[in-house]
Structure formats: structure tokens, C-alpha cells
Amino acid sequence: MEAVLNYFENIPSLHRSLLLVGGITFFWFLEGILPLMKFRYNKWKHALPNLFFTITTIVINFLLAFLLLQTANWTVENNFGILNWLPSMPLWLYAFVGVLLLDLIGGYTAHWVEHRVKVLWMVHLVHHTDHNVDTTTANRHHPLESMIRFIFTLFGVFIVGAPIGVVMIYQSASLLFSQFSHANIRLPKKVDELLSWVVVSPDMHKVHHHYVLPYTDSNYGNIFAIWDRLFGTFMKLDREKIVFGVDTFPNAEANGKINVLLKQPFHRYRKPTTVDVE
């Protein structure tokens, strides 16, 4: 485990890039073999705005990465944060607890807040107005949201007291699990359900992308499924009934244009529709 932590403490930028590209490529091909929904769309054209926002996210995270490093180093040097206040534990458990807590703050909590605060919801909306959710949707975040998510992650590193090796493990796992849960793949229902007791599975997360409330305001998890079950935000919906998008922004063509998406957070807020839960 020490070797793993040492690797992630000094993970080369090339390796992080390969992780991103490799994940998208793997799930992209898997979508062709085990598609959940047979979308009638040009996959490359659909991917264009999503890949554009992937690039903006990479740039923002790269420019702000030094803050993560400085914060992580400060917590370790000053013995600050939850991990540093807990009793001594095996290194593997130390890393696991660190990733678990970072997922709570940087993943679940950030996502929950974005849905509860109107101004933040309008920024997060760009992610939800994809009418053909697939693995490229994972990184479809407006630049403003990339900054918001970074702030939550930075706060998580500060509160948790995570060293940079644990932070990099969390970010790498977050990337891959997000690509996995958004991927347009059809796992056997029992397998997907079993997975959803531990991690966020594709069917579990697709419910979150259903176009109307209350389903849109459920299943906020990123890596671990425990938080939705623990805080009462877990919901189920048969995958055959899921319709992607947001009812207040129904224009699929407009929602596939980069210039429209960049301006989307600045529209007037419109209350989404709520349907009765079956």
C-alpha cells in the first residue's frame, strides 16, 4: 500500500491523461457492445460539446492544482484534519477512510448543494441537459461548475486532512467511477443492483438524469452508494422508463451546442416539474 501511495503522490501528468483517455475509450467501446439505450444519434457529434467541457475542466484543475498540494501538505505538517485525529490504523484503511470522506464532501455534498441552491443549479444544469447520456457526459460541466467542484474538493482536503497521495487516489477513482456510472451500458439488473449497494452503478445514476423531479433530486453519489442510502436520497426507477434531459430545457438541438451551453447558467430560473413517485 505504501508503494501505491508513493506512486499517486508523484503521479505523472501523462499517467493522469492516460487514465482519462483510457477510461473514456474503454467505456465508449463497451457502450457499443452492451448499450443500455440505442440512441439514434451521431456519437462523435454528441461527444463534441462534452469533450470541450472536459478540456475546460482539465485546464481549470491544472491551474488550481497547486492549491490542493499546498493544502494537503499543510494539513499533514500541522497534524490537522479528521485523518490526523483518528487513532492509528493500517495504511490501507487510512487511505480508504480518506477517499470515503473526500467522496462525501467533494462528491455527494457538492452535488447535493448544486441541486438545492438555485444559482448553483443553473450552473449544474449544463450537465443535466444532455439528452443522450453516455460516458462522455461524465465530464460535461460548465467552467463555473468546475471551479465550484474544485472549491468543495479543496474544502474536503482541508477538513479530512488528506495527504496528496490520498487526494490523487480519490480524484482518479472519482474520474473512473463517473465515466462508469454515466456510460450507456446495460448490466444484468441483479448485477447492477448488487453493485449499487457499494458503489454508484449505471442504473442507479441514470435515475438521477431522469428529466423530472423528484428523480432528478436523488442519487447524488459519485463513488460510494452509501451516502444516498444513509441520507435518504436514494431512489429507484425502472431503466426502461428513464428519459434524459431537463423538462424546462427540452430543446435537444440547442442543448448540443457549445455556445448555448456556455450561456445556459444565465437563463432565468424556471421551476422544474414534479411527478408522483410510483
Side-chain angles (χ1 to χ4, degrees):
M1 190 64 211
E2 186 174 353
V4 173
L5 275 175
N6 287 336
Y7 167 75
F8 278 98
E9 281 178 4
N10 304 285
I11 184 170
S13 297
L14 175 61
H15 290 193
R16 297 185 68 183
S17 299
L18 289 174
L19 196 66
L20 170 66
V21 176
I24 290 177
T25 302
F26 174 75
F27 291 117
W28 178 288
F29 281 109
L30 197 59
E31 288 172 339
I33 301 171
L34 300 169
L36 171 62
M37 297 184 181
K38 295 181 179 179
F39 296 129
R40 293 176 175 84
Y41 68 99
N42 183 317
K43 199 165 183 178
W44 285 101
K45 182 179 179 181
H46 166 258
L48 183 60
N50 296 351
L51 294 178
F52 169 80
F53 287 115
T54 299
I55 293 171
T56 60
T57 299
I58 291 171
V59 171
I60 289 170
N61 286 338
F62 176 77
L63 293 175
L64 298 176
F66 75 97
L67 291 175
L68 277 184
L69 179 61
Q70 294 297 322
T71 303
N73 289 343
W74 184 90
T75 60
V76 173
E77 291 169 2
N78 292 275
N79 200 39
F80 183 88
I82 297 172
L83 281 179
N84 296 303
W85 300 332
L86 291 174
S88 179
M89 64 185 80
L91 193 56
W92 68 267
L93 182 59
Y94 172 87
F96 175 76
V97 172
V99 172
L100 186 70
L101 293 176
L102 287 173
D103 184 53
L104 169 61
I105 300 171
Y108 179 89
T109 302
H111 202 173
W112 182 86
V113 170
E114 285 180 328
H115 278 251
R116 297 297 174 179
V117 179
K118 291 180 181 178
V119 173
L120 299 185
W121 164 247
M122 292 305 294
V123 175
H124 181 53
L125 188 67
V126 170
H127 180 70
H128 276 268
T129 52
D130 193 336
H131 295 256
N132 298 294
V133 175
D134 64 19
T135 192
T136 66
T137 309
N139 300 303
R140 177 178 159 130
H141 297 294
H142 193 279
L144 290 174
E145 179 173 8
S146 298
M147 295 177 69
I148 293 166
R149 289 293 185 113
F150 183 88
I151 291 170
F152 272 93
T153 300
L154 188 66
F155 180 71
V157 172
F158 179 72
I159 295 299
V160 175
I164 196 62
V166 172
V167 176
M168 290 297 104
I169 291 175
Y170 161 69
Q171 289 198 316
S172 299
S174 176
L175 173 66
L176 291 176
F177 273 97
S178 185
Q179 291 173 344
F180 168 62
S181 63
H182 286 89
N184 179 35
I185 55 177
R186 179 186 293 268
L187 298 178
K189 286 191 175 182
K190 288 186 177 180
V191 172
D192 195 289
E193 186 172 359
L194 283 172
L195 281 174
S196 72
W197 282 95
V198 182
V199 297
V200 179
S201 65
D203 280 7
M204 176 182 170
H205 191 71
K206 297 303 188 305
V207 174
H208 178 77
H209 279 272
H210 190 50
Y211 77 118
V212 289
L213 296 173
Y215 298 103
T216 311
D217 286 350
S218 69
N219 300 3
Y220 297 108
N222 187 33
I223 300 176
F224 298 104
I226 182 176
W227 306 123
D228 282 297
R229 295 180 183 276
L230 185 63
F231 297 121
T233 53
F234 176 79
M235 291 190 74
K236 286 185 177 182
L237 179 64
D238 192 292
R239 60 191 181 189
E240 308 299 336
K241 297 180 180 180
I242 293 173
V243 178
F244 296 134
V246 178
D247 64 324
T248 53
F249 285 80
N251 191 326
E253 183 179 355
N255 293 334
K257 295 180 179 179
I258 294 172
N259 62 325
V260 173
L261 294 172
L262 285 170
K263 294 183 288 186
Q264 210 164 58
F266 308 105
H267 282 78
R268 184 171 61 86
Y269 173 79
R270 284 177 280 176
K271 187 178 180 181
T273 302
T274 302
V275 297
D276 293 330
V277 179
E278 298 176 1

